[in-house]
Amino acid sequence: MNSLEDDEQHQSTIIKGPLDGLVVLDLSRILAGPTCTQLLGDMGAEIIKIEHPKRGDDTRQWGPPFLRGKSGADTGESAYYLSSNRNKYSLGIDMRSEKGVEILKDLAAVADVVIENFKVGDLARKGLGYDDLRAKNDHLIYCSITGFGQTGPYAHRAGYDALVQAMGGIMSITGQPEEECGTPTKIGVGIADVMCGMYACNAILGALHHRQKTGEGQHIDISLLDCQVAWLINQGLSYLISGNLPERLGNAHPTIVPYETFPAFDKDFMVAVGNDVQYQRFCGVLGCSELSADPRFATNSDRVRNRAELVPLLRQFTIKQSARHWTNELEAVGVPCGPVNDLAEVFSDPQILHRGMKISLPHKQSEDGQVSLIGNPINYSKTPVTYRKAPPTLGEDSIEVLTKYLQKTKEEIDDLAARGVVSPGDP
């Protein structure tokens, strides 16, 4: 019995995910598309990840760090790649060859969803565009992720996360204030890619619901830049309503004060005072009740207008005690607060561990046979997400995929591998 069948037999004994039985042909790489397909995979979909037969997904080389292997040396599995590719089956295939394209067409004919992030027109020139594939599968949902969309003056451009963060406005409002010599700053993770993947996942789920009602597939056109502009949310609307450009405020909030980090004597902590009562309690804990009675700071509107005067005064008090002291005291009176944790503190936090946000899965190349991963935050009451498979090694599942979905024989697969059309993975 092959590994796909083993997985299916095991899964038959447990609760299935909400997308159980859905087949996704994943032609994407890097982060936006793989984020989307990992979410779909966690919800039970079968994800067939197509990779270059020799170098694989670009992110496999984006390290260090790499997963440490059994010999103690680094493997070819980067942390970046491992972050967004669990619950997938890797098929290494040469898309430049006619036979490789033919195999992809055959897989698309039995798939429910195709997702790709090639430049506009690249796949159509290979005969793998939406119109080409729906000719054999009119129920197909085909999701195209690009930097700038299928239309418009920038459609031909390649898109990268940092570029889109810059062009989409988020960098202009992130970083320390101008008067503190701050400069526009990108967010510390590839958030434009990640959010695009999440929007893409939602779009696919909506298209699946439409197909269930009508039987119709469709093409989804989604871009990093569009998604980046969409999640400017309140800051974007502040500009559209007022015409005033938002300023960089560091860790502060543009319309709520105090709502930012404050220094304790050991580390910073975050305070999110949401109303005037909480502000009064905050001042009471700090031992500066006179600042809550001061007419300059009585209401949130007053505090926003006079933040430059208020915040330095508050910091003179917070620096006197530890972050733990302040967070314990403030939490006791109902003032939202928390420490500024580094990642070691995050992944040892009892709440994070209780919620299953740090997981591990068996990995055949790992030094200890396991790979640590970040869990999925979705908690269904009836159809929980499942972690069925660690991020695959390159071409790990080529034989199983070709056998199951296209009924290829061992001889046919050996011939394809000998011709360089597919990568058969590890023996």
Side-chain angles (χ1 to χ4, degrees):
M1 184 176 288
N2 64 44
S3 64
L4 281 176
E5 291 169 342
D6 288 339
D7 289 340
E8 289 165 356
Q9 186 179 68
H10 173 68
Q11 287 298 302
S12 68
T13 65
I14 65 174
I15 297 173
K16 299 288 190 180
L19 298 183
D20 177 60
L22 190 80
V23 177
V24 179
L25 181 61
D26 183 4
L27 305 180
S28 70
R29 64 267 191 229
I30 315 294
L31 188 56
T35 294
C36 172
T37 50
Q38 178 167 274
L39 287 170
L40 295 172
D42 287 353
M43 289 186 275
E46 294 185 17
I47 313 296
I48 304 171
K49 181 178 179 67
I50 303 301
E51 302 191 68
H52 188 281
K54 293 184 178 178
R55 62 175 181 268
D57 189 308
D58 297 22
T59 60
R60 288 183 182 274
Q61 288 77 49
W62 287 9
F66 294 93
L67 181 68
R68 192 174 298 278
K70 296 186 184 301
S71 67
D74 286 344
T75 67
E77 310 298 291
S78 73
Y80 200 117
Y81 165 77
L82 293 168
S83 73
S84 54
N85 284 289
R86 70 167 165 257
N87 284 337
K88 301 180 185 181
Y89 298 97
S90 173
L91 169 58
I93 192 163
D94 184 1
M95 295 180 63
R96 298 168 302 176
S97 68
E98 290 185 11
K99 188 62 178 177
V101 170
E102 178 186 324
I103 290 171
L104 292 178
K105 288 181 177 179
D106 290 342
L107 287 170
V110 298
D112 296 286
V113 177
V114 169
I115 182 167
E116 58 92 7
N117 64 342
F118 286 77
K119 290 182 182 178
V120 174
D122 275 7
L123 289 187
R125 284 187 285 273
K126 295 177 181 291
L128 293 170
Y130 172 60
D131 290 335
D132 302 301
L133 298 186
R134 74 168 177 173
K136 290 187 176 181
N137 182 358
D138 61 359
H139 303 302
L140 185 67
I141 294 164
Y142 187 108
C143 181
S144 295
I145 295 176
T146 55
F148 300 97
Q150 299 292 306
T151 61
Y154 301 162
H156 64 286
R157 297 186 185 180
Y160 293 89
D161 176 90
L163 176 65
V164 168
Q165 285 197 41
M167 296 180 67
I170 194 68
M171 282 179 62
S172 76
I173 56 175
T174 304
Q176 291 305 113
E178 195 80 31
E179 58 271 20
E180 296 179 20
C181 300
T183 60
T185 304
K186 79 177 185 68
I187 295 170
V189 296
I191 192 66
D193 275 334
V194 171
M195 287 301 297
C196 185
M198 291 184 176
Y199 278 111
C201 183
N202 276 297
I204 289 168
L205 295 177
L208 287 168
H209 184 64
H210 173 76
R211 188 179 72 179
Q212 184 178 30
K213 294 189 297 181
T214 67
E216 298 175 334
Q218 60 183 302
H219 185 203
I220 300 168
D221 169 11
I222 193 162
S223 83
L224 270 68
L225 184 62
D226 293 349
C227 293
Q228 173 61 79
V229 172
W231 64 267
L232 290 174
I233 49 173
N234 61 309
Q235 289 281 58
L237 260 292
S238 292
Y239 167 72
L240 292 177
I241 294 299
S242 71
N244 298 321
L245 291 172
E247 299 177 356
R248 293 190 304 278
L249 294 171
N251 294 321
H253 195 286
T255 56
I256 309 174
V257 175
Y259 193 113
E260 60 183 276
T261 54
F262 284 88
F265 71 64
D266 56 345
K267 61 184 288 185
D268 287 356
F269 66 103
M270 185 74 192
V271 173
V273 168
N275 56 52
D276 296 337
V277 172
Q278 289 178 359
Y279 173 65
Q280 293 164 12
R281 293 173 182 170
F282 178 55
C283 291
V285 167
L286 264 58
C288 58
S289 294
E290 68 276 8
L291 294 180
S292 65
D294 191 314
R296 294 175 299 169
F297 314 131
T299 70
N300 180 66
S301 297
D302 295 325
R303 295 191 292 275
V304 170
R305 283 190 290 267
N306 297 301
R307 78 166 73 225
E309 292 79 24
L310 173 61
V311 171
L313 295 174
L314 294 172
R315 287 176 174 168
Q316 293 177 14
F317 290 89
T318 63
I319 199 69
K320 296 177 181 179
Q321 297 284 354
S322 70
R324 181 180 292 275
H325 169 85
W326 291 128
T327 55
N328 286 343
E329 293 295 313
L330 292 170
E331 183 178 333
V333 297
V335 176
C337 61
V340 178
N341 288 333
D342 61 27
L343 297 197
E345 291 167 320
V346 168
F347 289 112
S348 61
D349 186 286
Q351 180 70 14
I352 298 297
L353 297 176
H354 174 82
R355 298 290 290 178
M357 291 308 299
K358 178 183 176 183
I359 65 171
S360 65
L361 289 173
H363 195 289
K364 62 183 180 182
Q365 290 191 359
S366 171
E367 184 175 33
D368 62 359
Q370 297 284 318
V371 59
S372 294
L373 301 169
I374 298 174
N376 189 307
I378 298 171
N379 291 280
Y380 290 113
S381 64
K382 297 292 186 182
T383 54
V385 300
T386 57
Y387 307 119
R388 307 178 302 282
K389 191 174 187 297
T393 56
L394 175 57
E396 175 182 311
D397 309 290
S398 296
I399 295 171
E400 290 87 350
V401 168
L402 294 172
T403 300
K404 176 179 179 179
Y405 291 101
L406 301 184
Q407 293 76 52
K408 297 290 186 185
T409 65
K410 182 181 184 302
E411 291 74 18
E412 289 175 312
I413 296 171
D414 288 345
D415 177 63
L416 291 169
R419 292 158 54 193
V421 176
V422 303
S423 169
D426 298 329

